[in-house]
Amino acid sequence: MELAKSFDPRAIEAHWYPFWESRGWFKASFDPSRPSYSIQLPPPNVTGTLHMGHAFQQTLMDVLTRWQRMRGANVLWQPGTDHAGIATQMVVERQLEQEGTSRRDLGREKFVERVWAWKEQSGSTITRQMRRLGASCDWSREYFTMDEPRSRAVTEVFVRLHEEGLIYRGKRLVNWDPVLHTAVSDLEVESREENGSLWHLRYPLAEGTDHLVVATTRPETMLGDTAVAVHPEDRRYAHLIGRKVRLPLTDRLIPVIGDEYVDKEFGTGCVKITPAHDFNDYQLGARHGLEMINIFTLEAKVNENAPEAYRGLDRFEARKRVLADLERQGLVDSVKPHKLMQPRSQRSDAVVEPMLSDQWFVKMDGFAKAGLAAVADGRTRFVPDMWATVYNQWLENIQDWCISRQLWWGHQIPAWYAADGTPFVGRNYEEAAAKAKAAGKEICQDSRDPDVLDTWFSSAFVPFSTLGWPDEATMGKERPFYLPSSVLITGFDIIFFWVARMIMTTLHFTGEVPFRDVFINAIVRDAEGQKMSKSKGNTIDPLDVIDGITLQELLAKSTQGLMLPAHRQAAEKRIKRDYPEGIASYGADALRFTFAALSTHGRTLNFDLKRCEGYRSFCNKLWNATRFVLMNCEGKDTGLDVAAPVELSFLDRWIVSRLQRAEAAVAQGLEEYRFDTSARAIYEFVWDEYCDWYVEAAKVQLQSGSEAAQRGTRRTLIRVLETTLRLAHPVIPFITEELWQKVAPLAGASGDTVMLARWPQPQPEKIDEASESAVAALKELTNAARNLRAEMDLPPGQRVPAFVQAGPEVAAFLPYLQALARLSEAKVVPSLPEADAPVAVTGAGKLMLHVEIDRAAERERLAKEAARLDAEIAKAEAKLGNASFVERAPAAVVDQEKKRLADFRAKLADIRAQLARLA
């Protein structure tokens, strides 16, 4: 039963997590008599490592999971990892590059084998790190988005949607990454403001000597122009509609067309149209039946569709050559500096090229309508609700989803081609071959589409693929328990990538929404509110906060991979400034408590290690309080024998009453996803009430109370502590388990673990307002005495007598007041003696420390207090003098303000009386 003298997080964490997992306590249950609760983990990249955003998000999920498990629910926290197509392929390609080879040298089969080997080597890193944080996922159900069950589900979804006419192949304009050689979605393109130029170019009319002037930020694309557009109502150009211009540097004539898309007021009112390399031009070209001329290769070099002089040039080199040739011909009208939004690939940072390409698409109109309806009718709720507007705006403007990627790592598209290019889709080659034969065509196994599916395509199905779909037997058993799931906790950055697509696909294939609530958590920033970035040196590894790290280790780790000297220097400077001695070991519980306390409904949170220090101190305080309780309760009567008399003091009743309020506040915070208010309720109850007041007051009761009173105090100490450990367990699981194992037997609690113990339920009948008022008065008097001691600069060891002018009910407080305020004695008197001694006025009465004072210093102290009270009175009078406040505020609030004003006036009268006596 003996508890170690000091709290050692590392030893406790190393002991308890394997213990929990080995007992199978994280596993989902399927008891129809109990409610069910489930959470889907946003699957991190399989080769990734835990960062602060992961740790924050997973802390919140684990808090809810442990809370519901203690409430007796069937609980499933579904873990999994994502194959992360582009990201993982890039990692392995860089490894091959360092070895002097490439994926094309290896060939597809060998390259995919190499990626699988890398996945097996590094794939468990992040799940090991999650365990260090305390994540109580059902690891027995862990999935990988390319494992056999998920791959089967992905193929089934693709085939069914294709059969329903919702997946099609077509030549469309897509975002093309010329470095990765793949299409990327709109969501994977980041538009950045960059400095560029705006060129005005002259296009000669085919007839006569006149010309039109067009403006462009990409002059090289003129080689693919197929029209010049003007507004049909623009008087300057309306007469030219239908005529042709001679496209410079080429031998082509292109038409002048009229379209209302053109803004008459912008630039010259003439717009060059390049349908194959601009999304707006593509739509305009489709409306007018324009030829679409692709002038770039997949590497973004000029191809054979452009004049021979430019073929083989990189697009930016081609820009220089085109401009030089136009200058020589006198066709550059002007050039101006111009701010432009440059589209860049999030993965490679390359400038994205709009490219005509054969791709696979999902028709999204019907999906979007269903997704919008699910949120509109309340089947799925966003918290905070402002994110529903963001979700709606995206779905209302949705485009068909390009799901094919020109990669080798991922789910290969289940389509095979006949000799004439007709695709046949099947669950396997045999099924596709049968469809081809029925159509009078043939396919071969080597004709399979080489493309893979977008990573987000496979992850969109995990709400039902993880429950056994398309296996109806497994799905039928698990679906009633865990679909819809209870909540999805995720960041706003993947509302479109993942959240919306899960809602739409789950509705389509199961008729259910995937989750009832979507809690959008804040984005973690550094203590100064800046985005965390390795080049800034302000990233923090959560495991370094848990375990600690030296400055030298931190410098080496944080600058690894920074290629630019400027980035390395900036990172080193920041790290040395912020962590001159490295990072101390705070333990998982302190980190988790920090995350919970910072989790408001805001968009961002600023992570500050000073908060971790505070919550590590909290853990130490809880540990030391438990040591005191155990020392005073072990081997003694803790009231378990119901026949033995128990006497409860007003302080015992008070702490039990406050516990009921804390239990209610914690539960309400968790119900509302206000983790910060739950954490604050735990902190304030444990630190401010149980440790600072009740434990200190209990020392008096254990020393001087009757046998029944001591028994009552021990019972209250141990039972309140045991309940508090259960209450705090979801937030700080490791320390509460360690302490509960020692405390529970003395409190009469049974069970193998606190994580399965009953969640504390508030009992309103135990709220004792009379005891709460009494302790509030005791606190006032104690704090008044402590303040007077501080103002008099009395050393802690010097005990002085005190007089209290108050009603007879205060007599019950005196033993506690004497101990808590370090007094030699305390007496209730009808009036304070006439003496030059410091006096404090409280709502419970007036208190005098019986010590000689410096009259001038005491007058100064009283004058400051009188000035403070004057200011409070003025504020209260102004508020009560405001007719709007009095009329609109609840009556209870107005009455409370009136009472505050009366109390301030009474205290001020006493202070002025004391000042008069000292004058």
Side-chain angles (χ1 to χ4, degrees):
M1 292 295 292
E2 185 176 350
L3 191 64
K5 289 184 178 179
S6 59
F7 172 47
D8 179 6
R10 184 171 297 191
I12 291 170
E13 292 163 17
H15 172 72
W16 285 115
Y17 195 92
F19 178 81
W20 292 328
E21 187 175 2
S22 66
R23 297 303 191 277
W25 290 332
F26 300 160
K27 289 185 177 180
S29 56
F30 298 88
D31 182 346
S33 68
R34 293 154 58 188
S36 294
Y37 190 90
S38 58
I39 297 179
Q40 186 77 232
L41 174 77
N45 289 358
V46 67
T47 56
T49 55
L50 198 71
H51 58 60
M52 292 298 278
H54 289 135
F56 169 54
Q57 201 173 75
Q58 290 164 16
T59 293
L60 304 187
M61 286 185 266
D62 194 51
V63 168
L64 294 177
T65 299
R66 290 177 180 272
W67 171 49
Q68 291 292 335
R69 197 179 283 124
M70 293 177 74
R71 293 182 74 183
N74 296 304
V75 172
L76 168 60
W77 182 9
Q78 175 66 60
T81 50
D82 192 272
H83 66 279
I86 294 178
T88 304
Q89 180 160 319
M90 283 178 66
V91 169
V92 177
E93 286 202 63
R94 279 197 290 264
Q95 292 175 353
L96 294 175
E97 188 179 335
Q98 291 170 358
E99 297 169 13
T101 185
S102 70
R103 68 179 167 112
R104 301 202 180 275
D105 293 335
L106 285 184
R108 182 170 191 147
E109 185 177 346
K110 292 291 184 184
F111 176 77
V112 171
E113 287 177 6
R114 177 68 180 260
V115 182
W116 274 108
W118 168 244
K119 180 263 177 189
E120 294 304 319
Q121 175 188 337
S122 304
S124 59
T125 299
I126 198 162
T127 53
R128 284 199 307 270
Q129 293 172 325
M130 287 176 64
R131 287 171 166 87
R132 290 296 317 278
L133 191 65
S136 59
C137 307
D138 183 350
W139 296 110
S140 68
R141 300 173 63 97
E142 182 182 355
Y143 70 86
F144 173 53
T145 51
M146 279 183 62
D147 62 22
E148 192 281 328
R150 256 50 59 185
S151 296
R152 188 159 65 94
V154 167
T155 299
E156 185 68 26
V157 166
F158 189 96
V159 172
R160 289 194 193 184
L161 291 179
H162 185 263
E163 290 172 346
E164 294 170 25
L166 295 175
I167 282 182
Y168 65 93
R169 182 170 172 81
K171 187 178 285 291
R172 295 272 299 275
L173 205 61
V174 297
N175 299 301
W176 184 262
D177 184 324
V179 172
L180 298 177
H181 297 162
T182 182
V184 291
S185 74
D186 292 344
L187 300 174
E188 295 167 306
V189 176
E190 182 179 338
S191 292
R192 299 183 202 158
E193 186 177 77
E194 298 182 10
N195 292 321
S197 298
L198 182 66
W199 288 273
H200 285 80
L201 309 178
R202 295 172 180 164
Y203 282 19
L205 290 169
E207 300 171 358
T209 58
D210 207 352
H211 61 263
L212 294 178
V213 176
V214 299
T216 182
T217 58
R218 303 184 66 207
E220 68 279 10
T221 63
M222 66 163 293
L223 301 175
D225 284 0
T226 56
V228 172
V230 298
H231 195 284
E233 297 176 2
D234 191 331
R235 294 179 181 177
R236 294 171 295 176
Y237 308 116
H239 66 288
L240 296 176
I241 294 174
R243 294 178 62 182
K244 295 185 182 295
V245 296
R246 190 172 302 282
L247 185 63
L249 310 182
T250 73
D251 292 328
R252 291 191 290 116
L253 296 177
I254 59 176
V256 179
I257 61 175
D259 196 287
E260 292 182 352
Y261 159 74
V262 179
D263 182 353
K264 292 185 290 184
E265 309 303 322
F266 181 77
T268 64
C270 297
V271 180
K272 62 185 284 300
I273 304 300
T274 320
H277 294 289
D278 182 276
F279 287 98
N280 292 320
D281 292 3
Y282 175 81
Q283 294 178 356
L284 189 148
R287 286 197 296 273
H288 292 268
L290 297 178
E291 184 182 4
M292 300 193 181
I293 302 175
N294 178 15
I295 61 165
F296 293 126
T297 67
L298 299 182
E299 291 79 23
K301 294 181 179 180
V302 179
N303 66 16
E304 69 282 359
N305 293 329
E308 188 172 354
Y310 308 103
R311 293 174 190 171
L313 294 177
D314 174 80
R315 55 187 164 163
F316 299 116
E317 187 60 35
R319 176 179 298 178
K320 296 176 185 176
R321 182 81 61 86
V322 163
L323 286 169
D325 291 348
L326 289 171
E327 286 277 9
R328 277 194 293 272
Q329 295 182 25
L331 296 177
V332 177
D333 190 75
S334 65
V335 58
K336 300 175 184 175
H338 181 70
K339 294 277 188 184
L340 70 155
M341 299 306 293
Q342 189 78 278
R344 289 190 176 272
S345 168
Q346 288 181 343
R347 295 293 182 185
S348 69
D349 204 45
V351 174
V352 166
E353 184 62 51
M355 188 82 75
L356 269 178
S357 176
D358 288 315
Q359 302 289 343
W360 291 90
F361 297 87
V362 179
K363 293 180 180 178
M364 296 305 295
D365 287 352
F367 282 106
K369 287 175 184 175
L372 286 165
V375 172
D377 62 26
R379 281 174 288 162
T380 291
R381 175 180 70 128
F382 278 84
V383 182
D385 59 6
M386 65 177 179
W387 294 110
T389 302
V390 176
Y391 168 89
N392 290 339
Q393 287 173 345
W394 184 67
L395 286 189
E396 287 164 358
N397 297 281
I398 200 167
Q399 302 292 320
D400 283 359
W401 178 13
C402 176
I403 56 171
S404 47
R405 297 290 182 270
Q406 288 63 53
L407 303 171
W408 287 355
W409 173 244
H411 297 99
Q412 191 170 353
I413 289 173
W416 289 258
Y417 293 91
D420 64 358
T422 304
F424 291 92
V425 171
R427 291 167 181 82
N428 48 50
Y429 168 72
E430 289 73 20
E431 184 176 310
K435 290 180 179 179
K437 184 176 182 180
K441 299 181 185 293
E442 289 185 6
I443 60 172
C444 64
Q445 287 193 337
D446 292 342
S447 68
R448 185 169 182 176
D449 194 312
D451 291 354
V452 300
L453 290 162
D454 179 9
T455 297
W456 296 103
F457 185 79
S458 56
S459 60
F461 317 138
V462 293
F464 52 98
S465 69
T466 54
L467 298 178
W469 192 93
D471 181 350
E472 293 299 331
T474 305
M475 187 73 174
K477 174 179 177 286
E478 301 194 351
R479 173 175 171 165
F481 291 90
Y482 297 121
L483 188 72
S485 64
S486 307
V487 63
L488 177 74
I489 297 182
T490 189
F492 66 79
D493 51 334
I494 57 173
I495 289 177
F496 316 129
F497 281 113
W498 195 44
V499 179
R501 288 164 176 170
M502 280 193 290
I503 292 174
M504 293 185 288
T505 56
T506 307
L507 279 167
H508 186 82
F509 287 100
T510 72
E512 295 275 8
V513 292
F515 24 73
R516 294 186 181 90
D517 288 349
V518 181
F519 176 62
I520 302 298
N521 59 260
I523 300 299
V524 181
R525 297 192 181 276
D526 71 8
E528 298 170 6
Q530 294 183 345
K531 184 177 180 180
M532 289 189 173
S533 163
K534 194 163 188 176
S535 62
K536 293 179 183 176
N538 64 347
T539 58
I540 306 175
D541 183 335
L543 265 64
D544 291 341
V545 179
I546 293 173
D547 295 333
I549 187 170
T550 68
L551 175 61
Q552 291 308 312
E553 290 171 330
L554 186 60
L555 285 169
K557 178 178 182 178
S558 300
T559 57
Q560 184 179 8
L562 292 179
M563 307 305 291
L564 296 177
H567 286 170
R568 289 183 64 89
Q569 291 166 8
E572 288 177 356
K573 183 177 180 181
R574 177 72 182 267
I575 291 165
K576 289 176 180 177
R577 187 199 77 179
D578 291 350
Y579 316 112
E581 298 177 4
I583 297 176
S585 171
Y586 294 101
D589 286 327
L591 178 60
R592 289 170 61 107
F593 210 142
T594 304
F595 281 136
L598 291 172
S599 180
T600 66
H601 284 186
R603 292 176 67 102
T604 61
L605 69 84
N606 296 351
F607 183 85
D608 189 345
L609 274 179
K610 292 187 177 68
R611 294 292 293 269
C612 268
E613 290 176 19
Y615 294 116
R616 182 179 60 181
S617 297
F618 172 90
C619 291
N620 287 329
K621 185 120 178 164
L622 179 59
W623 186 273
N624 293 332
T626 303
R627 276 179 53 80
F628 167 81
V629 173
L630 291 175
M631 285 190 294
N632 283 277
C633 292
E634 282 179 306
K636 298 186 176 70
D637 185 354
T638 56
L640 295 182
D641 182 359
V642 294
V646 170
E647 181 183 316
L648 298 181
S649 71
F650 73 97
L651 278 155
D652 298 326
R653 294 192 299 275
W654 166 76
I655 196 63
V656 171
S657 180
R658 298 305 298 167
L659 176 60
Q660 309 315 309
R661 297 189 190 277
E663 289 170 356
V666 172
Q668 182 179 351
L670 295 179
E671 292 279 4
E672 297 173 354
Y673 306 110
R674 287 301 304 266
F675 299 91
D676 57 326
T677 62
S678 292
R680 184 167 64 248
I682 293 168
Y683 184 96
E684 290 176 352
F685 178 76
V686 171
W687 189 296
D688 298 344
E689 297 185 321
Y690 186 78
C691 294
D692 275 3
W693 288 98
Y694 182 69
V695 167
E696 295 303 314
K699 295 174 182 177
V700 177
Q701 298 182 168
L702 293 174
Q703 290 171 359
S704 58
S706 66
E707 186 176 333
Q710 290 185 36
R711 186 179 296 113
T713 296
R714 284 194 292 270
R715 188 179 82 172
T716 305
L717 274 171
I718 199 74
R719 286 189 177 181
V720 170
L721 177 58
E722 188 274 335
T723 304
T724 301
L725 294 173
R726 285 186 279 131
L727 188 66
H729 174 74
V731 178
I732 45 175
F734 293 106
I735 188 173
T736 51
E737 183 71 89
E738 179 75 10
L739 298 179
W740 188 85
Q741 294 288 338
K742 308 290 193 298
V743 168
L746 298 177
S750 60
D752 296 324
T753 173
V754 68
M755 69 175 286
L756 298 181
R758 183 180 60 83
W759 173 254
Q761 295 292 329
Q763 297 172 272
E765 69 275 10
K766 291 188 176 180
I767 292 178
D768 189 328
E769 294 188 358
S771 294
E772 291 186 356
S773 297
V775 173
L778 172 60
K779 285 183 176 183
E780 267 201 283
L781 290 169
T782 303
N783 288 331
R786 288 172 174 171
N787 291 339
L788 289 178
R789 290 183 64 99
E791 289 164 7
M792 298 296 296
D793 202 21
L794 296 178
Q798 182 180 348
R799 295 182 177 270
V800 297
F803 297 107
V804 180
Q805 180 183 324
E809 70 281 356
V810 174
F813 304 170
L814 297 185
Y816 307 103
L817 176 62
Q818 184 175 329
L820 295 170
R822 297 177 177 270
L823 304 172
S824 58
E825 63 174 328
K827 292 181 180 180
V828 174
V829 294
S831 61
L832 296 180
E834 294 290 331
D836 291 341
V839 176
V841 180
T842 74
K846 290 189 279 188
L847 180 141
M848 172 188 284
L849 290 187
H850 196 53
V851 293
E852 292 186 9
I853 63 168
D854 179 326
R855 295 172 66 89
E858 180 64 2
R859 280 198 300 271
E860 184 179 350
R861 185 186 72 80
L862 291 171
K864 286 181 181 178
E865 178 63 7
R868 186 188 72 80
L869 289 169
D870 270 326
E872 293 289 353
I873 287 169
K875 284 194 289 185
E877 286 177 339
K879 189 176 284 188
L880 291 169
N882 183 338
S884 177
F885 168 76
V886 174
E887 291 169 5
R888 296 182 182 180
V893 174
V894 176
D895 290 343
Q896 183 182 24
E897 195 64 27
K898 289 178 179 177
K899 184 178 182 304
R900 289 179 72 245
L901 178 59
D903 289 343
F904 289 145
R905 285 171 173 167
K907 288 178 183 178
L908 182 59
D910 280 329
I911 294 291
R912 284 175 174 163
Q914 291 180 63
L915 282 168
R917 184 166 49 79
L918 289 172

